[in-house]
Amino acid sequence: MRRFIVGLLATVGTVTLLAITGVVVFLVTGPLAPRQLPASMVLSLDLRQLPTENPSGNLLSGGLWRDQRDLTDTLQLLWQAAEDPRVVGLYVEIGDDAAGLARVQELRQAITRFRGKGKFAIGFAEGLGGNGDHFADYYLASALDRIWLQPSGGFTVLGLAVETPFLRNGLDKLGVRIEGGKRWEYKSAPDSFTENGYTPAARENLQQLIDGLYGQFIEDVARERKIAPARLRQLIDAAPFEADRALKEGLVDKLGYRADAMDDVWQRAGATHDLIDLEDYANDDKRPRSSGDVIALVRATGTITSGSGDGGLLGDDSQATAEDVVDALESAAQSKDVKAIVLRIDSPGGTYPAADAMADGVARARAAGKPVIVSMGDVAASGGYLAAVRADVIVAQPATITGSIGVFGVWPVASELLDKLGVRMQRLGTGANAGMYSTFQPPSAPQRLAISRELDAVYADFTRQVGEARKLDAGRLDAAARGRVFTGVDARNAGLVDELGGLQLALSIAKTKAGLDDARPIRVRRFPAEEDRFHKIVDRVMRLVGVDARGPTIRAPREIRETLARFGVAGHPGNVRLPPLPPLWK
């Protein structure tokens, strides 16, 4: 018996040793193994789908062994490549025609910095303009020093168009009535349900927003392509047209296929014929590393909510829960080696208490002696703006969509529909106002007054916080509020934003506020810390086989959620949230 047990243990030990050896070999030689990079190389960047604010865990898109780099990672790698003498140039695949314009501007700035170090940047696109309602791909391409366009690909950069569905007539026919209200006339989030078309105020505000974004595009592209702004407008009004004309008019530099663009890359690179993708470069130990004092990076991305991040059937892909963001701010504020905090916000808003809790977290971090700088992404509006308002400095891109200082509260009442169907609802309860938000019976006149008072109270507190934090008098506050939505440029003019720029500028300001020499290097540390890579892999594998550590989750397909979102139907709509404005943001 003893001999058997000893033999069994020896066998188990041998198998365990072999398994460990296999894992080590796999890690060293498998897909996780870092690639040895050459002494001279061209960096390859695929921007046919722009990086998002949060990293992707999509297994089907290659996220099992390799993370899809988020925007912050991508920017930092481009900054490092600009300083890396081994990297002689950049090759970019272009094709995301519907990306958020603030992200486009972030990447444009990083590419401009890269080119400023004497390095080339060449891009290739099969076509430009996509469906003709956005210009993100061409806007990004114009930051490169050479644009290749496939001969069979057209130029369909036509401007910017926003379409909004209005359901009022359809709901009336169904017998569904929308109860509630908004504060005030520019708060257009519930209009898809309550109106038959754009109200005069909403039309005015949205047109001003579109005109402002288009004006930025015209100004930047005209400067980069050395085309008079008036002429560029004429060309876009004359589009769509073929690639030949795009070349003739100076909108692109070369016509050809991907192989032709690569030949151009190698000609510019000289003796170098090594194309290195961003992931391999990220895993290289020899690239320039950040060092020095620590600046904390806290992110609030997605719908602002309380509670857990489980989105449910119609939930957003990303949510910013108040507890998580506040905890991250508190941890950064208590960390002795953190000199300042950059809060990156990319959120259309959400619920008022959750956004208010984030604003309080910012104030507490400042009270602990840590400067807090807000860096805004594609959108930081309504509750997303409230979360930012108490920061030392607010930085937004010119194309950031922000403001929307207002509140709404609406819900459907289907009593008439139930009558048509022969369904009878009865209510039992205690308390005079129990069930006043019912979807089966409309509120009484006194209850409607109570709802109105509630909206007034939230709006008064929202505007009070903005007025106090931004030091706006009553006149300027009213002109900046009432639900108005602004570009970053207009928000600065309204007193809602301090500086125009991206994450790099926010980090520079954080250094200054912390009393650090601007030339001194820093390290950016994320709070909360990134998950261990092995933990990510295990979590993704478990989810692939249907096991989620957070418990079972049922979620509608992305296509269904995005379609419903265009009609204002979301898992966590909140009462201080910007409505979806495709293609400006989804």
Side-chain angles (χ1 to χ4, degrees):
M1 184 66 179
R2 180 179 178 184
R3 183 177 299 175
F4 171 76
I5 293 175
V6 171
L8 178 62
L9 293 176
T11 302
V12 171
T14 302
V15 170
T16 301
L17 180 61
L18 289 173
I20 293 174
T21 302
V23 169
V24 171
V25 171
F26 175 76
L27 291 175
V28 172
T29 63
L32 293 180
R35 175 184 173 185
Q36 287 294 112
L37 300 188
S40 181
M41 64 187 121
V42 174
L43 191 64
S44 174
L45 183 60
D46 190 343
L47 294 180
R48 286 172 289 187
Q49 183 175 348
L50 259 61
T52 60
E53 291 285 347
N54 274 341
S56 170
N58 188 350
L59 288 171
L60 299 181
S61 62
L64 176 58
W65 306 116
R66 294 185 172 188
D67 292 326
Q68 287 186 319
R69 294 285 164 181
D70 60 31
L71 181 65
T72 301
D73 276 342
T74 302
L75 293 173
Q76 289 182 301
L77 289 169
L78 285 173
W79 298 342
Q80 292 166 1
E83 306 295 334
D84 191 338
R86 300 174 303 163
V87 179
V88 300
L90 178 67
Y91 170 72
V92 182
E93 290 277 358
I94 304 160
D96 193 341
D97 62 290
L101 294 180
R103 277 182 295 149
V104 171
Q105 290 178 338
E106 290 272 7
L107 289 165
R108 280 175 53 87
Q109 290 157 8
I111 291 170
T112 299
R113 178 179 178 178
F114 183 91
R115 291 177 58 192
K117 299 296 182 178
K119 305 181 180 188
F120 68 84
I122 294 175
F124 171 79
E126 292 181 352
L128 290 168
N131 295 325
D133 60 357
H134 209 346
F135 45 69
D137 56 350
Y138 186 59
Y139 194 15
L140 177 63
S142 67
L144 306 170
D145 55 321
R146 187 167 294 176
I147 304 171
W148 280 81
L149 178 61
Q150 189 164 303
S152 56
F155 185 86
T156 56
V157 179
L158 310 179
L160 193 58
V162 173
E163 294 179 326
T164 304
F166 292 93
L167 310 181
R168 173 69 182 273
N169 285 340
L171 293 175
D172 286 345
K173 291 178 180 179
L174 288 174
V176 177
R177 180 175 179 175
I178 302 299
E179 293 287 349
K182 64 180 184 178
R183 297 294 182 270
W184 285 97
E185 66 272 22
Y186 294 97
K187 192 69 176 178
S188 60
D191 289 358
S192 285
F193 300 101
T194 61
E195 304 292 341
N196 293 320
Y198 292 118
T199 65
R203 180 180 295 276
E204 168 203 333
N205 190 205
L206 187 54
Q207 188 64 55
Q208 183 180 23
L209 182 72
I210 295 171
D211 290 344
L213 295 172
Y214 187 57
Q216 293 176 32
F217 164 76
I218 292 292
E219 180 181 353
D220 292 342
V221 173
R223 182 183 63 252
E224 296 287 352
R225 300 301 305 175
K226 296 179 175 57
I227 302 173
R231 177 57 180 162
L232 181 58
R233 288 180 182 269
Q234 290 174 352
L235 290 172
I236 292 174
D237 286 343
F241 43 73
E242 299 303 315
D244 287 339
R245 184 174 178 187
L247 177 64
K248 178 182 177 181
E249 299 289 356
L251 296 168
V252 300
D253 300 290
K254 296 284 186 178
L255 299 186
Y257 294 88
R258 185 173 283 104
D260 299 314
M262 288 308 307
D263 288 341
D264 188 23
V265 168
W266 301 136
Q267 185 175 359
R268 294 284 297 274
T272 298
H273 279 74
D274 286 293
L275 190 67
I276 305 301
D277 67 34
L278 197 68
E279 188 63 31
D280 284 332
Y281 185 69
N283 292 328
D284 180 49
D285 291 333
K286 296 180 181 179
R287 63 184 169 86
R289 298 280 181 168
S290 299
S291 61
D293 293 305
V294 175
I295 303 294
L297 178 65
V298 177
R299 293 187 290 190
T301 304
T303 307
I304 295 175
T305 66
S306 301
S308 71
D310 179 13
L313 183 64
L314 300 178
D316 302 275
D317 284 328
S318 61
Q319 294 177 34
T321 65
E323 292 91 335
D324 290 343
V325 174
V326 170
D327 286 348
L329 288 168
E330 182 179 4
S331 296
Q334 292 177 351
S335 178
K336 294 181 179 179
D337 56 348
V338 169
K339 304 302 181 183
I341 301 170
V342 171
L343 173 59
R344 177 75 175 182
I345 299 178
D346 187 70
S347 171
T351 63
Y352 189 78
D356 183 38
M358 288 187 187
D360 180 68
V362 170
R364 291 177 184 273
R366 291 182 63 191
K370 301 295 171 69
V372 180
I373 314 301
V374 163
S375 171
M376 292 181 167
D378 285 333
V379 58
S382 203
Y385 182 75
L386 176 60
V389 77
R390 299 193 204 177
D392 289 272
V393 179
I394 299 177
V395 180
Q397 286 286 7
T400 295
I401 298 172
T402 188
S404 193
I405 300 168
V407 60
F408 71 94
V410 295
W411 73 97
V413 176
S415 55
E416 294 181 19
L417 174 60
L418 295 177
D419 288 342
K420 292 178 182 179
L421 297 175
V423 177
R424 184 181 180 187
M425 294 293 300
Q426 292 186 337
R427 180 193 300 165
L428 295 175
T430 60
N433 293 319
M436 65 185 290
Y437 299 108
S438 170
T439 58
F440 303 118
Q441 297 182 32
S444 64
Q447 289 171 343
R448 287 194 178 96
L449 288 175
I451 293 166
S452 182
R453 289 194 299 269
E454 185 179 22
L455 293 172
D456 287 339
V458 173
Y459 182 76
D461 189 61
F462 196 164
T463 52
R464 176 192 61 78
Q465 292 200 51
V466 173
E468 291 177 356
R470 301 300 304 173
K471 297 179 174 58
L472 300 177
D473 60 34
R476 291 196 71 193
L477 178 59
D478 188 65
R482 306 187 73 84
R484 291 179 180 87
V485 181
F486 300 97
T487 64
V489 173
D490 291 336
R492 185 178 63 170
N493 294 335
L496 301 180
V497 165
D498 298 296
E499 301 288 346
L500 295 179
L503 183 60
Q504 187 179 14
L505 177 60
L507 291 169
S508 178
I509 294 173
K511 290 169 64 176
T512 301
K513 288 290 184 180
L516 304 177
D517 185 348
D518 191 53
R520 189 171 176 176
I522 59 168
R523 285 181 294 143
V524 178
R525 181 187 301 169
R526 302 190 186 198
F527 284 78
E530 294 292 291
E531 291 180 299
D532 177 76
R533 189 172 183 80
F534 180 74
H535 180 268
K536 284 185 178 182
I537 294 172
V538 172
D539 184 59
R540 291 174 193 176
V541 171
M542 296 295 283
R543 291 190 189 187
L544 184 64
V545 299
V547 179
D548 193 326
R550 299 170 301 176
T553 299
I554 300 175
R555 177 172 287 188
R558 176 189 293 272
E559 293 79 7
I560 294 177
R561 287 183 281 123
E562 288 186 350
T563 300
L564 291 175
R566 295 195 66 170
F567 289 86
V569 179
H572 295 276
N575 60 344
V576 283
R577 176 171 173 158
L578 192 69
L581 296 173
L584 303 186
W585 77 273
K586 298 179 181 181

